[in-house]
Structure formats: C-alpha cells, structure tokens
Amino acid sequence: MSQAIYYISQNFLDQNHINQKGTALSASILAQAVNIPVNKILDKTTLLTNLAHACDFPCYFSPNWDSAWDCLTDSSVSYLTLNLATVETINTEDFNTFKRIIEDAYRDFGKPQLWVIMPAADNV
C-alpha cells in the first residue's frame, strides 16, 4: 500500500467482494484497522473526540488538529476506518483538514492509513 487514504464504496463491502469463507474480503484487509465511529454529523468535534477515544490517545490530548497529529504520529495505530455510509451532514472543511493530517502523518511517518467507506451508490 502506497498511499495514505483509500476510498471504498459500501457496495464493495456489502456485496461484491466475498472471499471463500463467505466474509467480506475487505474485512480481512481491514481487520487490524481502528474504526473511528461517527453518527449523523461529521465535524471537527466528532472527528477529534471519536479519534481520541478510538485510538486511546493519552490524557494530555487536547481537542485540536495539532494535538491530533501529534498523538496519531506517537500512537501505535497504523490503520483507521471511517464509515460515512450513515453520515447525513459533513463539514467539508473539517473533513478536508482531517484528511490533510492523515496525509501529512503518512508522508512523514508512514502511518496511519485511512480507509473511508463511502455510501452505496444507490444511497447517494
């Protein structure tokens, strides 16, 4: 894998790529990934709070982008997933900032990699 962020359709996960054991192929690829839980709204607060909790950031984490970058690069987490299939509202500025943090950390430290699960085409 040679990039920081991958986009996967929910269709890919649900229907199209089934391995011999009958489980989603991507499940084996993403088995070690830490999921960043999100609800209906994706914004800075949601991303930072849920990222910190999912990755078990230290108590000195402060909910800002710089602190998130520091904690991500110090963390042992190498793989993340972010499922946008049920998200209704995305603050694109916050989401783009988050993606830049992932890309910068990957460029400088080789981790983490992020898999963004996009809504199924018929749900868009």
Side-chain angles (χ1 to χ4, degrees):
M1 308 254 171
S2 61
Q3 65 189 50
I5 302 174
Y6 295 88
Y7 296 91
I8 302 171
S9 168
Q10 185 69 41
N11 287 341
F12 178 90
L13 295 177
D14 291 343
Q15 302 166 0
N16 298 333
H17 290 75
I18 305 299
N19 68 15
Q20 295 171 352
K21 295 180 183 177
T23 58
L25 179 60
S26 58
S28 61
I29 296 169
L30 303 177
Q32 53 190 316
V34 173
N35 182 54
I36 305 166
V38 290
N39 294 317
K40 303 283 183 203
I41 298 174
L42 183 73
D43 59 10
K44 179 179 180 179
T45 301
T46 302
L47 280 167
L48 291 175
T49 301
N50 294 342
L51 176 67
H53 181 70
C55 295
D56 197 26
F57 283 174
C59 63
Y60 58 79
F61 170 74
S62 177
N64 63 65
W65 298 121
D66 289 336
S67 186
W69 188 89
D70 290 341
C71 289
L72 267 176
T73 57
D74 287 343
S75 143
S76 63
V77 173
S78 295
Y79 308 105
L80 298 165
T81 59
L82 182 65
N83 190 340
L84 302 181
T86 61
V87 174
E88 294 175 1
T89 304
I90 297 176
N91 180 311
T92 54
E93 182 178 344
D94 293 344
F95 186 44
N96 288 335
T97 300
F98 175 69
K99 292 187 295 184
R100 279 193 302 276
I101 286 171
I102 297 296
E103 291 166 343
D104 290 348
Y106 183 77
R107 182 187 62 242
D108 293 348
F109 292 90
K111 67 176 188 155
Q113 289 179 302
L114 171 67
W115 279 264
V116 179
I117 302 165
M118 304 300 291
D122 56 339
N123 292 342
V124 179

